[in-house]
Coordinates of all heavy atoms in Angstrom, one line a residue:
M61 N 23.6 26.9 8.1 CA 23.8 25.5 8.5 C 22.5 24.8 8.8 O 22.4 23.7 8.4 CB 24.8 25.6 9.8 CG 25.1 24.2 10.3 SD 26.2 23.4 9.1 CE 26.7 22.0 9.9
I62 N 21.6 25.5 9.5 CA 20.4 24.9 9.9 C 19.6 24.6 8.6 O 18.9 23.6 8.5 CB 19.6 25.7 10.9 CG1 20.3 25.7 12.2 CG2 18.2 25.2 11.0 CD1 19.6 26.6 13.3
V63 N 19.7 25.5 7.6 CA 19.0 25.3 6.4 C 19.5 24.1 5.6 O 18.7 23.3 5.1 CB 19.1 26.6 5.5 CG1 18.5 26.4 4.1 CG2 18.4 27.8 6.2
R64 N 20.8 23.9 5.6 CA 21.4 22.7 5.0 C 20.9 21.4 5.6 O 20.6 20.5 5.0 CB 22.9 22.8 5.0 CG 23.4 23.8 4.0 CD 24.9 23.7 3.9 NE 25.4 24.8 3.0 CZ 26.7 25.0 2.8 NH1 27.6 24.3 3.5 NH2 27.1 25.9 2.0
I65 N 20.9 21.4 7.0 CA 20.4 20.3 7.7 C 18.9 20.0 7.4 O 18.5 18.8 7.2 CB 20.7 20.4 9.2 CG1 22.2 20.4 9.5 CG2 20.0 19.3 10.0 CD1 22.5 20.8 10.9
S66 N 18.1 21.0 7.3 CA 16.7 20.9 7.0 C 16.5 20.3 5.7 O 15.7 19.4 5.4 CB 16.0 22.2 7.2 OG 16.1 22.7 8.5
I67 N 17.3 20.8 4.7 CA 17.1 20.4 3.3 C 17.6 18.9 3.2 O 16.9 18.1 2.6 CB 17.9 21.2 2.4 CG1 17.3 22.6 2.3 CG2 18.1 20.6 1.0 CD1 18.1 23.6 1.5
A68 N 18.7 18.6 3.9 CA 19.2 17.2 3.9 C 18.1 16.2 4.5 O 17.9 15.1 4.0 CB 20.5 17.1 4.6
L69 N 17.5 16.6 5.6 CA 16.5 15.8 6.3 C 15.3 15.7 5.4 O 14.8 14.6 5.3 CB 16.1 16.5 7.6 CG 15.2 15.7 8.5 CD1 15.8 14.3 8.8 CD2 14.9 16.5 9.7
F70 N 14.9 16.7 4.7 CA 13.7 16.6 3.8 C 14.0 15.7 2.7 O 13.2 14.8 2.4 CB 13.4 18.0 3.3 CG 12.3 18.0 2.2 CD1 11.0 17.8 2.6 CD2 12.7 18.1 0.9 CE1 10.0 17.8 1.6 CE2 11.7 18.0 -0.1 CZ 10.4 17.9 0.2
L71 N 15.2 15.8 2.1 CA 15.5 14.9 1.0 C 15.6 13.5 1.4 O 15.3 12.6 0.7 CB 16.8 15.4 0.3 CG 16.7 16.7 -0.4 CD1 18.1 17.2 -1.0 CD2 15.7 16.7 -1.6
A72 N 16.1 13.3 2.6 CA 16.2 11.9 3.1 C 14.9 11.3 3.4 O 14.7 10.1 3.2 CB 17.1 11.9 4.4
L73 N 13.9 12.0 3.8 CA 12.6 11.5 4.2 C 11.6 11.6 3.0 O 10.6 10.9 3.1 CB 12.0 12.3 5.4 CG 12.8 12.1 6.7 CD1 12.1 13.0 7.8 CD2 12.8 10.7 7.1
A74 N 11.9 12.3 2.0 CA 10.9 12.5 0.9 C 10.6 11.1 0.2 O 9.4 10.8 0.0 CB 11.5 13.5 -0.1
P75 N 11.5 10.3 -0.1 CA 11.2 9.0 -0.7 C 10.3 8.1 0.2 O 9.4 7.4 -0.2 CB 12.5 8.3 -0.9 CG 13.5 9.4 -0.9 CD 13.0 10.4 0.0
V76 N 10.5 8.2 1.5 CA 9.7 7.4 2.5 C 8.3 7.9 2.4 O 7.3 7.1 2.4 CB 10.3 7.5 3.9 CG1 9.3 6.9 4.9 CG2 11.6 6.9 4.0
N77 N 8.1 9.2 2.4 CA 6.7 9.8 2.4 C 6.0 9.4 1.0 O 4.9 9.1 1.0 CB 6.8 11.3 2.6 CG 7.1 11.6 4.0 OD1 6.9 10.9 4.9 ND2 7.6 12.8 4.2
A78 N 6.8 9.5 0.0 CA 6.2 9.2 -1.3 C 5.8 7.7 -1.4 O 4.7 7.4 -1.9 CB 7.2 9.5 -2.5
F79 N 6.6 6.9 -0.9 CA 6.3 5.4 -0.9 C 5.1 5.1 0.0 O 4.3 4.3 -0.3 CB 7.6 4.7 -0.4 CG 7.5 3.2 -0.6 CD1 7.4 2.7 -1.8 CD2 7.5 2.4 0.5 CE1 7.4 1.3 -2.0 CE2 7.4 1.0 0.4 CZ 7.4 0.5 -0.9
A80 N 5.0 5.8 1.2 CA 3.9 5.5 2.1 C 2.6 5.9 1.5 O 1.6 5.4 1.8 CB 4.2 6.3 3.4
N81 N 2.6 6.9 0.6 CA 1.4 7.4 0.0 C 0.9 6.5 -1.1 O -0.2 6.6 -1.5 CB 1.6 8.8 -0.5 CG 1.7 9.8 0.6 OD1 1.2 9.6 1.7 ND2 2.4 10.9 0.3
Q82 N 1.7 5.6 -1.5 CA 1.3 4.6 -2.6 C 0.3 3.6 -2.0 O -0.6 3.2 -2.7 CB 2.5 4.0 -3.2 CG 2.2 3.2 -4.4 CD 3.5 2.7 -5.1 OE1 4.6 2.9 -4.6 NE2 3.3 2.0 -6.2
C83 N 0.5 3.2 -0.8 CA -0.4 2.2 -0.2 C -1.9 2.6 -0.2 O -2.7 1.8 -0.7 CB 0.0 1.9 1.3 SG 1.8 1.4 1.4
P84 N -2.3 3.8 0.2 CA -3.7 4.2 0.2 C -4.2 4.2 -1.3 O -5.4 3.8 -1.5 CB -3.7 5.6 0.8 CG -2.6 5.6 1.7 CD -1.5 4.8 1.0
T85 N -3.4 4.5 -2.2 CA -3.8 4.5 -3.6 C -4.1 3.1 -4.1 O -5.1 2.8 -4.8 CB -2.8 5.1 -4.5 OG1 -2.5 6.5 -4.1 CG2 -3.2 5.2 -6.0
M86 N -3.2 2.2 -3.7 CA -3.4 0.8 -4.0 C -4.7 0.2 -3.3 O -5.5 -0.5 -4.0 CB -2.2 0.0 -3.6 CG -1.0 0.3 -4.4 SD 0.5 -0.6 -3.8 CE 0.3 -2.2 -4.6
M87 N -4.9 0.6 -2.1 CA -6.1 0.1 -1.4 C -7.4 0.6 -2.1 O -8.3 -0.1 -2.2 CB -6.1 0.5 0.1 CG -5.0 -0.2 0.9 SD -5.1 0.2 2.7 CE -3.9 1.6 2.7
A88 N -7.4 1.9 -2.5 CA -8.5 2.4 -3.1 C -8.8 1.7 -4.5 O -10.0 1.5 -4.8 CB -8.3 3.9 -3.4
A89 N -7.8 1.4 -5.2 CA -8.0 0.7 -6.5 C -8.6 -0.7 -6.2 O -9.5 -1.2 -7.0 CB -6.6 0.5 -7.2
I90 N -8.1 -1.4 -5.2 CA -8.7 -2.7 -4.8 C -10.1 -2.6 -4.4 O -11.0 -3.3 -4.9 CB -7.8 -3.4 -3.7 CG1 -6.4 -3.7 -4.2 CG2 -8.5 -4.6 -3.2 CD1 -5.4 -4.0 -3.2
D91 N -10.4 -1.6 -3.6 CA -11.8 -1.4 -3.1 C -12.7 -1.1 -4.3 O -13.9 -1.5 -4.3 CB -11.8 -0.2 -2.1 CG -11.1 -0.6 -0.8 OD1 -10.9 -1.7 -0.5 OD2 -10.8 0.4 0.0
A92 N -12.2 -0.3 -5.2 CA -13.1 0.0 -6.4 C -13.3 -1.2 -7.3 O -14.4 -1.3 -7.9 CB -12.4 1.1 -7.2
A93 N -12.4 -2.1 -7.3 CA -12.5 -3.3 -8.2 C -13.3 -4.4 -7.6 O -13.9 -5.2 -8.3 CB -11.1 -3.8 -8.6
L94 N -13.3 -4.5 -6.3 CA -14.0 -5.6 -5.6 C -15.5 -5.8 -6.0 O -15.8 -7.0 -6.2 CB -13.9 -5.5 -4.1 CG -12.5 -5.9 -3.5 CD1 -12.5 -5.6 -2.0 CD2 -12.3 -7.4 -3.7
P95 N -16.3 -4.8 -6.0 CA -17.7 -5.0 -6.3 C -18.0 -5.7 -7.7 O -18.9 -6.4 -7.9 CB -18.3 -3.6 -6.3 CG -17.4 -2.8 -5.4 CD -16.1 -3.4 -5.7
N96 N -17.1 -5.4 -8.7 CA -17.3 -6.0 -10.0 C -16.4 -7.1 -10.3 O -16.4 -7.6 -11.5 CB -17.1 -4.9 -11.0 CG -18.0 -3.7 -10.8 OD1 -19.2 -3.9 -10.5 ND2 -17.5 -2.5 -11.0
A97 N -15.7 -7.6 -9.4 CA -14.7 -8.7 -9.6 C -15.5 -10.0 -9.8 O -16.4 -10.3 -9.1 CB -13.8 -8.9 -8.4
S98 N -15.0 -10.8 -10.7 CA -15.6 -12.1 -11.0 C -14.6 -13.2 -10.6 O -13.9 -13.8 -11.4 CB -16.1 -12.3 -12.4 OG -15.0 -12.1 -13.3
L99 N -14.5 -13.4 -9.3 CA -13.6 -14.4 -8.7 C -14.3 -15.5 -8.0 O -15.5 -15.3 -7.6 CB -12.6 -13.7 -7.7 CG -11.7 -12.6 -8.2 CD1 -11.0 -11.9 -7.0 CD2 -10.7 -13.1 -9.2
S100 N -13.7 -16.6 -7.8 CA -14.3 -17.7 -7.0 C -14.4 -17.1 -5.5 O -13.7 -16.2 -5.2 CB -13.4 -18.9 -7.0 OG -12.2 -18.7 -6.4
E101 N -15.2 -17.8 -4.7 CA -15.3 -17.4 -3.3 C -13.9 -17.5 -2.6 O -13.6 -16.6 -1.8 CB -16.3 -18.3 -2.6 CG -17.7 -18.0 -2.9 CD -18.7 -18.8 -2.1 OE1 -18.4 -19.0 -0.9 OE2 -19.7 -19.2 -2.6
A102 N -13.2 -18.5 -2.9 CA -11.8 -18.7 -2.3 C -10.9 -17.5 -2.7 O -10.2 -17.0 -1.9 CB -11.2 -20.0 -2.7
D103 N -10.9 -17.2 -4.0 CA -10.1 -16.1 -4.5 C -10.5 -14.7 -3.9 O -9.7 -13.9 -3.5 CB -10.0 -16.0 -6.0 CG -9.1 -17.1 -6.6 OD1 -8.4 -17.8 -5.8 OD2 -9.2 -17.4 -7.8
M104 N -11.8 -14.5 -3.8 CA -12.3 -13.3 -3.3 C -11.9 -13.2 -1.8 O -11.5 -12.1 -1.4 CB -13.9 -13.2 -3.4 CG -14.5 -11.9 -2.9 SD -14.0 -10.5 -3.8 CE -15.1 -10.6 -5.2
A105 N -12.0 -14.3 -1.1 CA -11.6 -14.3 0.3 C -10.1 -13.9 0.5 O -9.7 -13.2 1.4 CB -11.9 -15.6 1.0
K106 N -9.3 -14.5 -0.4 CA -7.9 -14.3 -0.4 C -7.6 -12.8 -0.7 O -6.7 -12.2 -0.1 CB -7.2 -15.2 -1.4 CG -5.7 -15.0 -1.5 CD -5.0 -15.5 -0.2 CE -3.5 -15.4 -0.4 NZ -2.8 -15.8 0.8
V107 N -8.3 -12.2 -1.7 CA -8.0 -10.8 -2.1 C -8.4 -9.9 -0.9 O -7.7 -9.0 -0.5 CB -8.9 -10.4 -3.3 CG1 -8.9 -8.9 -3.5 CG2 -8.3 -11.1 -4.5
K108 N -9.5 -10.2 -0.2 CA -9.9 -9.4 0.9 C -8.9 -9.5 2.1 O -8.7 -8.6 2.8 CB -11.3 -9.8 1.4 CG -12.4 -9.4 0.4 CD -13.8 -9.8 0.8 CE -14.9 -9.3 -0.1 NZ -16.2 -9.7 0.3
Q109 N -8.4 -10.7 2.3 CA -7.4 -11.0 3.3 C -6.1 -10.2 3.0 O -5.6 -9.6 3.9 CB -7.2 -12.5 3.5 CG -6.3 -12.8 4.6 CD -4.9 -13.3 4.2 OE1 -4.7 -13.7 3.0 NE2 -3.9 -13.2 5.1
L110 N -5.7 -10.3 1.8 CA -4.5 -9.5 1.4 C -4.7 -8.0 1.5 O -3.8 -7.3 1.9 CB -4.1 -9.9 -0.1 CG -3.5 -11.3 -0.3 CD1 -3.5 -11.6 -1.8 CD2 -2.2 -11.4 0.3
R111 N -5.9 -7.5 1.2 CA -6.2 -6.1 1.3 C -6.1 -5.7 2.8 O -5.6 -4.7 3.1 CB -7.6 -5.9 0.7 CG -8.4 -4.6 1.0 CD -7.6 -3.3 0.7 NE -8.4 -2.2 0.9 CZ -8.4 -1.5 2.1 NH1 -7.8 -1.9 3.2 NH2 -9.2 -0.4 2.2
Q112 N -6.7 -6.5 3.6 CA -6.7 -6.2 5.1 C -5.3 -6.2 5.6 O -4.9 -5.3 6.4 CB -7.6 -7.1 5.8 CG -7.7 -6.9 7.3 CD -8.6 -7.8 8.0 OE1 -9.0 -8.9 7.5 NE2 -9.0 -7.5 9.3
Q113 N -4.6 -7.2 5.2 CA -3.2 -7.4 5.7 C -2.3 -6.2 5.2 O -1.5 -5.6 5.9 CB -2.6 -8.7 5.1 CG -1.1 -8.9 5.5 CD -0.6 -10.2 4.9 OE1 -1.2 -10.8 4.0 NE2 0.6 -10.6 5.3
G114 N -2.6 -5.7 3.9 CA -1.9 -4.6 3.4 C -2.1 -3.3 4.2 O -1.2 -2.5 4.5
E115 N -3.4 -3.1 4.6 CA -3.7 -2.0 5.4 C -3.1 -2.0 6.8 O -2.6 -1.0 7.3 CB -5.3 -1.8 5.5 CG -5.7 -0.6 6.3 CD -7.2 -0.3 6.2 OE1 -7.9 -1.1 5.7 OE2 -7.6 0.7 6.8
Q116 N -3.1 -3.2 7.4 CA -2.5 -3.3 8.7 C -1.0 -3.0 8.6 O -0.4 -2.4 9.5 CB -2.8 -4.7 9.3 CG -4.2 -4.9 9.7 CD -4.5 -6.4 10.0 OE1 -3.8 -7.3 9.7 NE2 -5.7 -6.5 10.7
L117 N -0.3 -3.6 7.6 CA 1.1 -3.3 7.5 C 1.4 -1.9 7.2 O 2.3 -1.3 7.7 CB 1.7 -4.2 6.3 CG 1.7 -5.7 6.6 CD1 2.0 -6.5 5.3 CD2 2.7 -6.0 7.6
H118 N 0.6 -1.2 6.4 CA 0.7 0.2 6.2 C 0.6 1.0 7.4 O 1.4 1.9 7.7 CB -0.4 0.7 5.1 CG -0.4 2.2 5.0 ND1 0.5 2.9 4.3 CD2 -1.3 3.1 5.4 CE1 0.2 4.2 4.3 NE2 -0.9 4.3 5.0
Q119 N -0.4 0.7 8.2 CA -0.6 1.4 9.5 C 0.5 1.2 10.5 O 0.8 2.1 11.3 CB -2.0 1.0 10.1 CG -3.2 1.5 9.3 CD -4.5 1.0 9.8 OE1 -4.5 0.1 10.7 NE2 -5.6 1.6 9.3
S120 N 1.2 0.1 10.4 CA 2.3 -0.2 11.3 C 3.6 0.3 10.8 O 4.6 0.2 11.5 CB 2.4 -1.7 11.6 OG 2.8 -2.4 10.4
G121 N 3.6 0.9 9.6 CA 4.8 1.5 9.0 C 5.6 0.6 8.1 O 6.6 1.0 7.6
D122 N 5.1 -0.6 7.9 CA 5.8 -1.6 7.0 C 5.3 -1.4 5.6 O 4.4 -2.2 5.1 CB 5.6 -3.0 7.4 CG 6.4 -4.0 6.6 OD1 7.0 -3.6 5.6 OD2 6.3 -5.2 6.9
H123 N 5.7 -0.3 4.9 CA 5.2 0.0 3.6 C 5.7 -1.0 2.5 O 4.9 -1.2 1.5 CB 5.5 1.4 3.2 CG 5.0 2.4 4.2 ND1 3.6 2.6 4.4 CD2 5.6 3.1 5.2 CE1 3.4 3.5 5.4 NE2 4.6 3.8 5.9
T124 N 6.8 -1.6 2.7 CA 7.3 -2.6 1.7 C 6.4 -3.8 1.8 O 6.0 -4.3 0.7 CB 8.8 -3.0 2.0 OG1 9.6 -1.8 2.0 CG2 9.3 -4.0 1.0
G125 N 6.1 -4.3 3.0 CA 5.2 -5.4 3.1 C 3.8 -5.1 2.7 O 3.1 -6.0 2.1
S126 N 3.4 -3.9 3.0 CA 2.0 -3.5 2.6 C 1.9 -3.5 1.0 O 1.0 -4.0 0.5 CB 1.7 -2.1 3.1 OG 0.5 -1.6 2.6
E127 N 2.9 -2.9 0.4 CA 2.9 -2.9 -1.1 C 2.9 -4.3 -1.7 O 2.2 -4.6 -2.7 CB 4.0 -2.0 -1.6 CG 3.9 -1.9 -3.1 CD 4.9 -1.0 -3.7 OE1 5.6 -0.2 -3.0 OE2 5.1 -1.0 -5.0
A128 N 3.6 -5.2 -1.1 CA 3.7 -6.6 -1.6 C 2.4 -7.2 -1.4 O 1.9 -7.9 -2.4 CB 4.8 -7.3 -0.8
S129 N 1.7 -7.1 -0.3 CA 0.4 -7.7 -0.1 C -0.6 -7.1 -1.0 O -1.4 -7.8 -1.6 CB 0.0 -7.5 1.4 OG -1.2 -8.1 1.6
L130 N -0.7 -5.8 -1.1 CA -1.6 -5.1 -1.9 C -1.4 -5.4 -3.4 O -2.3 -5.5 -4.2 CB -1.6 -3.6 -1.7 CG -2.1 -3.2 -0.3 CD1 -1.8 -1.7 0.0 CD2 -3.5 -3.5 0.0
G131 N -0.1 -5.5 -3.8 CA 0.2 -5.8 -5.2 C -0.3 -7.2 -5.6 O -0.7 -7.4 -6.7
E132 N -0.2 -8.2 -4.6 CA -0.7 -9.5 -4.9 C -2.2 -9.5 -5.1 O -2.7 -10.2 -6.0 CB -0.3 -10.5 -3.8 CG -0.6 -11.9 -4.1 CD -0.1 -12.9 -3.0 OE1 0.8 -12.5 -2.2 OE2 -0.6 -14.0 -2.9
A133 N -2.9 -8.7 -4.2 CA -4.3 -8.6 -4.3 C -4.7 -8.0 -5.7 O -5.6 -8.4 -6.4 CB -4.9 -7.8 -3.2
K134 N -4.0 -6.9 -6.1 CA -4.3 -6.3 -7.4 C -4.0 -7.2 -8.5 O -4.8 -7.3 -9.5 CB -3.4 -5.0 -7.5 CG -3.8 -3.8 -6.7 CD -2.9 -2.7 -6.9 CE -3.1 -2.1 -8.3 NZ -2.3 -0.9 -8.5
K135 N -3.0 -8.1 -8.4 CA -2.7 -9.0 -9.5 C -3.9 -10.0 -9.6 O -4.3 -10.4 -10.7 CB -1.4 -9.7 -9.2 CG -1.0 -10.7 -10.2 CD 0.4 -11.3 -9.9 CE 0.8 -12.3 -11.0 NZ 2.1 -12.9 -10.6
M136 N -4.4 -10.5 -8.5 CA -5.5 -11.4 -8.5 C -6.7 -10.8 -9.1 O -7.5 -11.5 -9.7 CB -5.8 -11.9 -7.1 CG -4.7 -12.8 -6.5 SD -5.1 -13.4 -4.8 CE -6.4 -14.6 -5.2
L137 N -6.9 -9.5 -8.9 CA -8.0 -8.8 -9.5 C -7.8 -8.4 -11.0 O -8.7 -7.9 -11.6 CB -8.3 -7.5 -8.7 CG -8.9 -7.8 -7.3 CD1 -8.9 -6.5 -6.5 CD2 -10.4 -8.3 -7.4
G138 N -6.6 -8.6 -11.4 CA -6.3 -8.2 -12.8 C -6.0 -6.8 -13.0 O -6.2 -6.2 -14.1
L139 N -5.6 -6.1 -12.0 CA -5.3 -4.7 -12.1 C -3.9 -4.4 -12.4 O -3.0 -5.1 -12.0 CB -5.7 -4.0 -10.7 CG -7.1 -4.1 -10.3 CD1 -7.3 -3.5 -8.9 CD2 -8.1 -3.5 -11.3

């Protein structure tokens, strides 16, 4: 019985963990692209703000919001 509960709990939490791990990958891609990005000052500031917002949301546990923010930054960078 305990094994079944453990397996059920693992399966229930596995997608959350997989989703949470996507945020750091997205942040790393943004960080790698920033030095070579050819954006206006305003767009560069916006990308950096979205990147910071994404990290803060990730740290607070809002992975959906984090992915949305980071996804917008990646789109602006052409990633």
Side-chain angles (χ1 to χ4, degrees):
M61 182 70 170
I62 292 176
V63 172
R64 285 185 183 178
I65 292 172
S66 296
I67 291 172
L69 184 60
F70 173 77
L71 292 175
L73 294 177
V76 173
N77 290 337
F79 190 66
N81 289 334
Q82 189 171 3
C83 302
T85 302
M86 294 175 79
M87 288 185 271
I90 293 166
D91 292 344
L94 278 174
N96 300 321
S98 56
L99 299 173
S100 68
E101 284 186 37
D103 284 346
M104 183 64 81
K106 180 68 175 176
V107 167
K108 289 179 179 179
Q109 185 251 341
L110 288 166
R111 162 57 174 89
Q112 182 179 15
Q113 180 182 12
E115 184 171 3
Q116 290 171 344
L117 290 168
H118 170 74
Q119 290 174 349
S120 70
D122 182 0
H123 301 292
T124 302
S126 175
E127 186 175 345
S129 180
L130 296 170
E132 188 175 338
K134 285 179 69 175
K135 184 176 180 180
M136 290 180 73
L137 288 167
L139 301 176

